[in-house]
Amino acid sequence: MPRPATQRGIQSVEVGGRLLLALARQGAPMALKDLALGAGMAPAKAHPYLVSFGKLGLIEQDDVNGRYGLGPLALQLGLIALHQNDPLRLATAEIEGLASALGHTVAIAVWGEHGPVIVRVAEAPTAVHVAMRHGAVMSLTGTASGWAFAAHLPEAATRSLRPRSLARAKFAARTEEVRRHGIARAVDLAVVGVSAMAAPVFDARGQIVLALTTIGPTAAFDARWDGGVAQTLRGAAAALSQRLGSLPAAA
């Protein structure tokens, strides 16, 4: 949540924090000059911050190559955050706002024994909406939710659910399209006149944990890959993934 403009912070903490952000973005130990560059400061300015962070255990320096990496306290904080941040709880808190922003029904789908299952639903705020039921199992290749999981789950997890008529090349092309755009879409696929989009949410291991799905009447649904619905849904999924510890590259 953005910090209210009236709140005052400690500038030196925020400046030093840029070094931690640079390490998190890199995902690997860094040399002082590269770390300082990533944080937008001179090495001479960065070094005192790194000394203090080292004393706290937030970073540690390799004795052999001199590179800086995240330390044991950073690991402990990360594990605590992962324990506190339940994906379903975090996503549930967001879907009412998403439904209001998009003007379409928004649901959360998780992977079940027989495919994606709808577990939370926020109805569209408008009179025109398309219903999704709690507990409904979605088709793997006939819905946006299904394609979102098909594109990001291991092949073994989805093999038994693929229709035999769907050729391997066609399936691979469709899943690659979903990965390339960062979102799945279904236009008049399962039901004529109904369209949907689904964006994957990833955990700290880079594995899909749920999909945010929005659905509405095709006539009023912006199904463009770069349209407003896609951009809003992708942004919400990326923000949730980041809160779950997923690196930006994975999300």
Side-chain angles (χ1 to χ4, degrees), residues 38-74:
M41 64 179 71
K45 182 178 180 180
H47 186 261
Y49 285 105
L50 295 173
V51 171
S52 294
F53 288 153
K55 292 179 179 179
L56 293 172
L58 284 170
I59 65 100
E60 59 184 5
Q61 185 178 22
D62 190 292
D63 293 333
V64 178
N65 59 31
R67 293 177 179 269
Y68 293 91
L70 294 175
L73 178 57

Short mmCIF file of all heavy atoms in Angstrom, two decimals, residues 38-74:
data_model
loop_
_atom_site.label_atom_id
_atom_site.label_comp_id
_atom_site.label_asym_id
_atom_site.label_seq_id
_atom_site.Cartn_x
_atom_site.Cartn_y
_atom_site.Cartn_z
N GLY A 38 23.77 -0.24 -9.31
CA GLY A 38 22.38 -0.66 -9.29
C GLY A 38 21.52 0.14 -8.33
O GLY A 38 20.31 0.27 -8.53
N ALA A 39 22.15 0.70 -7.29
CA ALA A 39 21.42 1.51 -6.31
C ALA A 39 21.48 2.99 -6.64
O ALA A 39 20.89 3.80 -5.93
CB ALA A 39 21.99 1.27 -4.91
N GLY A 40 22.22 3.34 -7.71
CA GLY A 40 22.28 4.74 -8.13
C GLY A 40 23.12 5.61 -7.21
O GLY A 40 22.76 6.77 -6.95
N MET A 41 24.23 5.06 -6.70
CA MET A 41 25.09 5.86 -5.82
C MET A 41 26.56 5.50 -6.07
O MET A 41 26.86 4.48 -6.70
CB MET A 41 24.72 5.65 -4.35
CG MET A 41 24.92 4.24 -3.84
SD MET A 41 24.49 4.04 -2.07
CE MET A 41 22.71 4.17 -2.12
N ALA A 42 27.44 6.32 -5.57
CA ALA A 42 28.88 6.06 -5.72
C ALA A 42 29.32 4.96 -4.77
O ALA A 42 28.77 4.81 -3.67
CB ALA A 42 29.66 7.34 -5.44
N PRO A 43 30.33 4.16 -5.14
CA PRO A 43 30.82 3.09 -4.26
C PRO A 43 31.23 3.60 -2.88
O PRO A 43 30.98 2.94 -1.88
CB PRO A 43 32.02 2.52 -5.03
CG PRO A 43 31.68 2.78 -6.47
CD PRO A 43 30.98 4.11 -6.47
N ALA A 44 31.87 4.79 -2.84
CA ALA A 44 32.31 5.34 -1.56
C ALA A 44 31.12 5.63 -0.65
O ALA A 44 31.22 5.54 0.58
CB ALA A 44 33.13 6.60 -1.79
N LYS A 45 30.00 5.99 -1.24
CA LYS A 45 28.80 6.26 -0.45
C LYS A 45 28.12 4.97 -0.04
O LYS A 45 27.55 4.86 1.06
CB LYS A 45 27.83 7.12 -1.26
CG LYS A 45 26.55 7.49 -0.52
CD LYS A 45 25.65 8.38 -1.37
CE LYS A 45 24.38 8.75 -0.62
NZ LYS A 45 23.49 9.62 -1.44
N ALA A 46 28.18 3.96 -0.90
CA ALA A 46 27.51 2.70 -0.63
C ALA A 46 28.20 1.90 0.48
O ALA A 46 27.54 1.22 1.27
CB ALA A 46 27.44 1.87 -1.90
N HIS A 47 29.53 1.99 0.55
CA HIS A 47 30.28 1.12 1.45
C HIS A 47 29.87 1.24 2.92
O HIS A 47 29.68 0.21 3.59
CB HIS A 47 31.78 1.36 1.30
CG HIS A 47 32.62 0.42 2.09
ND1 HIS A 47 33.16 0.73 3.32
CD2 HIS A 47 32.98 -0.87 1.84
CE1 HIS A 47 33.81 -0.31 3.79
NE2 HIS A 47 33.74 -1.29 2.90
N PRO A 48 29.72 2.46 3.48
CA PRO A 48 29.31 2.54 4.89
C PRO A 48 27.95 1.88 5.16
O PRO A 48 27.76 1.28 6.23
CB PRO A 48 29.25 4.05 5.15
CG PRO A 48 30.17 4.64 4.14
CD PRO A 48 30.00 3.78 2.92
N TYR A 49 27.05 2.01 4.22
CA TYR A 49 25.75 1.34 4.39
C TYR A 49 25.93 -0.17 4.44
O TYR A 49 25.31 -0.86 5.26
CB TYR A 49 24.81 1.70 3.23
CG TYR A 49 24.24 3.09 3.28
CD1 TYR A 49 24.72 4.09 2.44
CD2 TYR A 49 23.21 3.42 4.16
CE1 TYR A 49 24.19 5.38 2.46
CE2 TYR A 49 22.68 4.69 4.21
CZ TYR A 49 23.17 5.66 3.35
OH TYR A 49 22.64 6.94 3.40
N LEU A 50 26.79 -0.69 3.58
CA LEU A 50 27.02 -2.13 3.54
C LEU A 50 27.67 -2.63 4.82
O LEU A 50 27.37 -3.73 5.29
CB LEU A 50 27.89 -2.48 2.33
CG LEU A 50 27.24 -2.22 0.96
CD1 LEU A 50 28.24 -2.45 -0.17
CD2 LEU A 50 26.01 -3.10 0.76
N VAL A 51 28.54 -1.82 5.40
CA VAL A 51 29.16 -2.18 6.67
C VAL A 51 28.09 -2.31 7.75
O VAL A 51 28.06 -3.30 8.52
CB VAL A 51 30.22 -1.15 7.09
CG1 VAL A 51 30.70 -1.42 8.52
CG2 VAL A 51 31.40 -1.17 6.12
N SER A 52 27.18 -1.33 7.81
CA SER A 52 26.11 -1.38 8.82
C SER A 52 25.16 -2.53 8.58
O SER A 52 24.76 -3.24 9.52
CB SER A 52 25.33 -0.05 8.80
OG SER A 52 26.15 1.02 9.23
N PHE A 53 24.80 -2.75 7.32
CA PHE A 53 23.92 -3.87 7.00
C PHE A 53 24.59 -5.21 7.35
O PHE A 53 23.92 -6.15 7.77
CB PHE A 53 23.54 -3.86 5.51
CG PHE A 53 22.58 -2.76 5.14
CD1 PHE A 53 22.57 -2.24 3.85
CD2 PHE A 53 21.67 -2.26 6.06
CE1 PHE A 53 21.68 -1.24 3.50
CE2 PHE A 53 20.77 -1.25 5.71
CZ PHE A 53 20.78 -0.75 4.43
N GLY A 54 25.90 -5.26 7.18
CA GLY A 54 26.64 -6.47 7.53
C GLY A 54 26.59 -6.75 9.02
O GLY A 54 26.46 -7.90 9.44
N LYS A 55 26.71 -5.70 9.83
CA LYS A 55 26.65 -5.87 11.28
C LYS A 55 25.28 -6.39 11.73
O LYS A 55 25.16 -7.11 12.72
CB LYS A 55 26.96 -4.55 11.96
CG LYS A 55 28.41 -4.09 11.80
CD LYS A 55 28.64 -2.75 12.47
CE LYS A 55 30.10 -2.32 12.33
NZ LYS A 55 30.35 -0.99 12.97
N LEU A 56 24.23 -5.99 10.98
CA LEU A 56 22.88 -6.44 11.30
C LEU A 56 22.57 -7.83 10.76
O LEU A 56 21.59 -8.45 11.18
CB LEU A 56 21.85 -5.45 10.74
CG LEU A 56 21.83 -4.05 11.36
CD1 LEU A 56 20.91 -3.14 10.57
CD2 LEU A 56 21.37 -4.13 12.81
N GLY A 57 23.37 -8.30 9.83
CA GLY A 57 23.11 -9.59 9.22
C GLY A 57 22.21 -9.51 8.00
O GLY A 57 21.78 -10.54 7.47
N LEU A 58 21.94 -8.28 7.52
CA LEU A 58 21.12 -8.14 6.32
C LEU A 58 21.90 -8.48 5.06
O LEU A 58 21.34 -8.94 4.06
CB LEU A 58 20.57 -6.71 6.22
CG LEU A 58 19.41 -6.38 7.16
CD1 LEU A 58 19.12 -4.89 7.15
CD2 LEU A 58 18.16 -7.16 6.77
N ILE A 59 23.21 -8.22 5.08
CA ILE A 59 24.06 -8.61 3.96
C ILE A 59 25.31 -9.28 4.53
O ILE A 59 25.61 -9.18 5.72
CB ILE A 59 24.45 -7.39 3.07
CG1 ILE A 59 25.32 -6.41 3.85
CG2 ILE A 59 23.22 -6.72 2.51
CD1 ILE A 59 26.80 -6.55 3.55
N GLU A 60 26.03 -9.97 3.66
CA GLU A 60 27.31 -10.55 4.04
C GLU A 60 28.24 -10.51 2.84
O GLU A 60 27.80 -10.57 1.69
CB GLU A 60 27.15 -11.97 4.57
CG GLU A 60 26.52 -12.94 3.61
CD GLU A 60 26.31 -14.30 4.26
OE1 GLU A 60 26.56 -14.44 5.47
OE2 GLU A 60 25.88 -15.23 3.55
N GLN A 61 29.55 -10.38 3.13
CA GLN A 61 30.55 -10.27 2.07
C GLN A 61 31.36 -11.55 1.99
O GLN A 61 31.82 -12.08 3.00
CB GLN A 61 31.47 -9.08 2.33
CG GLN A 61 32.46 -8.81 1.20
CD GLN A 61 33.33 -7.60 1.48
OE1 GLN A 61 33.49 -7.18 2.64
NE2 GLN A 61 33.89 -7.00 0.43
N ASP A 62 31.52 -12.04 0.78
CA ASP A 62 32.31 -13.24 0.55
C ASP A 62 33.79 -12.93 0.80
O ASP A 62 34.34 -11.98 0.23
CB ASP A 62 32.11 -13.73 -0.89
CG ASP A 62 32.72 -15.11 -1.11
OD1 ASP A 62 33.96 -15.22 -1.09
OD2 ASP A 62 31.95 -16.07 -1.32
N ASP A 63 34.45 -13.74 1.62
CA ASP A 63 35.85 -13.50 1.97
C ASP A 63 36.78 -13.73 0.79
O ASP A 63 37.90 -13.20 0.76
CB ASP A 63 36.27 -14.41 3.12
CG ASP A 63 35.56 -14.06 4.41
OD1 ASP A 63 35.17 -12.87 4.57
OD2 ASP A 63 35.37 -14.96 5.25
N VAL A 64 36.35 -14.50 -0.19
CA VAL A 64 37.22 -14.84 -1.32
C VAL A 64 37.13 -13.82 -2.44
O VAL A 64 38.13 -13.24 -2.86
CB VAL A 64 36.89 -16.25 -1.85
CG1 VAL A 64 37.76 -16.58 -3.07
CG2 VAL A 64 37.09 -17.28 -0.76
N ASN A 65 35.92 -13.58 -2.93
CA ASN A 65 35.78 -12.68 -4.09
C ASN A 65 35.29 -11.28 -3.73
O ASN A 65 35.21 -10.41 -4.59
CB ASN A 65 34.87 -13.31 -5.15
CG ASN A 65 33.47 -13.61 -4.61
OD1 ASN A 65 32.96 -12.93 -3.73
ND2 ASN A 65 32.85 -14.65 -5.16
N GLY A 66 34.95 -11.06 -2.45
CA GLY A 66 34.55 -9.74 -2.02
C GLY A 66 33.15 -9.32 -2.41
O GLY A 66 32.73 -8.19 -2.15
N ARG A 67 32.39 -10.20 -3.03
CA ARG A 67 31.03 -9.84 -3.46
C ARG A 67 30.08 -9.81 -2.27
O ARG A 67 30.26 -10.53 -1.28
CB ARG A 67 30.52 -10.83 -4.52
CG ARG A 67 31.28 -10.74 -5.84
CD ARG A 67 30.76 -11.79 -6.81
NE ARG A 67 31.46 -11.70 -8.08
CZ ARG A 67 31.05 -10.95 -9.11
NH1 ARG A 67 29.92 -10.24 -9.00
NH2 ARG A 67 31.74 -10.91 -10.23
N TYR A 68 29.05 -8.98 -2.40
CA TYR A 68 28.05 -8.83 -1.34
C TYR A 68 26.78 -9.59 -1.72
O TYR A 68 26.30 -9.52 -2.86
CB TYR A 68 27.71 -7.36 -1.13
CG TYR A 68 28.84 -6.54 -0.56
CD1 TYR A 68 29.75 -5.90 -1.40
CD2 TYR A 68 29.01 -6.41 0.82
CE1 TYR A 68 30.80 -5.15 -0.88
CE2 TYR A 68 30.05 -5.66 1.35
CZ TYR A 68 30.95 -5.03 0.49
OH TYR A 68 31.98 -4.29 1.01
N GLY A 69 26.25 -10.31 -0.74
CA GLY A 69 24.99 -11.02 -0.93
C GLY A 69 24.09 -10.82 0.28
O GLY A 69 24.52 -10.26 1.30
N LEU A 70 22.86 -11.25 0.19
CA LEU A 70 21.94 -11.14 1.31
C LEU A 70 22.39 -12.04 2.45
O LEU A 70 22.85 -13.15 2.23
CB LEU A 70 20.52 -11.49 0.88
CG LEU A 70 19.88 -10.53 -0.13
CD1 LEU A 70 18.52 -11.05 -0.57
CD2 LEU A 70 19.74 -9.13 0.46
N GLY A 71 22.25 -11.56 3.67
CA GLY A 71 22.74 -12.27 4.84
C GLY A 71 21.68 -13.08 5.56
O GLY A 71 20.53 -13.16 5.11
N PRO A 72 22.04 -13.67 6.70
CA PRO A 72 21.13 -14.57 7.42
C PRO A 72 19.86 -13.88 7.92
O PRO A 72 18.79 -14.49 7.94
CB PRO A 72 21.98 -15.09 8.58
CG PRO A 72 23.11 -14.11 8.71
CD PRO A 72 23.36 -13.61 7.34
N LEU A 73 19.97 -12.62 8.33
CA LEU A 73 18.76 -11.93 8.80
C LEU A 73 17.78 -11.72 7.65
O LEU A 73 16.56 -11.85 7.83
CB LEU A 73 19.12 -10.58 9.44
CG LEU A 73 17.92 -9.75 9.93
CD1 LEU A 73 17.10 -10.53 10.94
CD2 LEU A 73 18.41 -8.43 10.54
N ALA A 74 18.31 -11.39 6.47
CA ALA A 74 17.44 -11.24 5.31
C ALA A 74 16.71 -12.54 5.01
O ALA A 74 15.52 -12.55 4.67
CB ALA A 74 18.25 -10.80 4.10
#
